[in-house]
Amino acid sequence: RTSLKIDCGESRIGKKPVEIPAGVTYKLDGQTLSCKGKLGAMEHTFPRQMIITEEDGKIKFTKVDETKQSRQLHGLCRSLAFNMLNGVETGWEKDLVLVGVGYRCSMQGKNVQLNLGFSHPVVLTPPEGVTVTVDGNTKLKVFGYDKAIVGNFAATIRRLRPPEPYKGKGVMYAGEKILRKEGKSGKK
């Protein structure tokens, strides 16, 4: 019996060079990429399995060797650099919607107050670099320059009351589809 050998090519995401948006200044120092834009500044140190080079205004990631770990990191490192460079210039946002009777949100200074059917309102403080805006009573917009922190804070809000499948009540991302279940039928 012979074993099947799969020859993996380059990552489709990893082989694309990262274009630098206009208005962003960056500095590449060995494995550390630091960038600064109108919304803030970020810095990240990439693992040794990646070689980071600059080619005519673009940043390119190549693998040092063909190990499994370097193949896994190839697309990830390119995506992290893309998220950094675009985040400091245009920012990232997540929209949340509150669905349910009595579910509402409001701002208290920089803090977010959520009424989600608990016996008390939930007050959350956004992390540094993240701003939250409220549209009406039931729509939240989380905005910031670090995509990971924006997504994490939006997930923290959603985790307080995730949408349930019977009535669809809860905190959900805008455009999120909830698989609905039919309730029990009872006696006839």
Side-chain angles (χ1 to χ4, degrees), residues 26-43:
Y26 72 97
K27 182 180 169 205
L28 188 59
D29 184 28
Q31 296 296 104
T32 304
L33 174 66
S34 50
C35 57
K36 187 173 184 179
K38 64 182 179 189
L39 296 177
M42 292 181 71
E43 183 175 310

Side-chain angles (χ1 to χ4, degrees), residues 42 78-88 92 145 147:
M42 292 181 71
R78 190 258 180 210
S79 294
L80 289 174
F82 176 83
N83 292 343
M84 282 174 55
L85 292 165
N86 286 303
V88 295
W92 300 101
Y145 60 86
K147 189 175 185 180

Side-chain angles (χ1 to χ4, degrees), residues 67-97:
T67 61
K68 182 179 180 183
Q69 187 178 22
S70 60
R71 284 196 310 265
Q72 291 171 341
L73 289 170
H74 193 199
L76 172 72
C77 291
R78 190 258 180 210
S79 294
L80 289 174
F82 176 83
N83 292 343
M84 282 174 55
L85 292 165
N86 286 303
V88 295
E89 184 60 25
T90 57
W92 300 101
E93 68 180 36
K94 281 274 192 185
D95 295 331
L96 296 160
V97 180

